[in-house]
């Protein structure tokens, strides 16, 4: 993947994170956030393994999945 495509993925990740602040439903917020975090992980991988970007965003993504699954059981 070229650097221009990786940059677009990074911009879309930022867009998803910002859009999540507009939402009111916690489930929708978590889903939109998770899409943004996944995009940041992809961006970090294709931008030369940027571990400071990959690790926290992957961890937060797993936390979002955990909360989505645990909220579904309530």
């Amino acid at each position: 993947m070229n650097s221009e495509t990786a940059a677009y993925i990074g911009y879309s990740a930022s867009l998803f994170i910002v859009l999540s602040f507009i939402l009111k439903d916690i489930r929708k917020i978590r889903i939109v956030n998770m899409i943004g975090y996944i995009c940041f992980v992809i961006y970090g991988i294709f931008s030369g393994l940027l571990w400071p970007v990959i690790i926290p965003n992957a961890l937060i993504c797993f936390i979002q999945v955990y909360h989505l699954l645990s909220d579904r059981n309530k």
Side-chain angles (χ1 to χ4, degrees), residues 2-71:
N2 63 29
S3 63
E4 185 175 328
T5 305
Y8 285 127
I9 292 171
Y11 289 128
S12 65
S14 296
L15 179 66
F16 279 111
I17 300 300
V18 170
L19 286 176
S20 72
F21 286 99
I22 296 170
L23 303 171
K24 292 184 179 182
D25 180 23
I26 191 68
R27 185 166 175 81
K28 290 178 184 176
I29 291 170
R30 291 189 188 282
I31 291 170
V32 173
N33 257 260
M34 191 172 59
I35 294 168
Y37 298 135
I38 290 169
C39 289
F40 270 129
V41 169
I42 293 168
Y43 168 76
I45 291 169
F46 289 113
S47 294
L49 292 178
L50 302 174
W51 293 110
V53 173
I54 296 168
I55 292 170
N57 285 291
L59 289 172
I60 295 169
C61 187
F62 283 119
I63 292 168
Q64 295 289 26
V65 169
Y66 169 78
H67 283 294
L68 282 169
L69 293 175
S70 67
D71 290 346

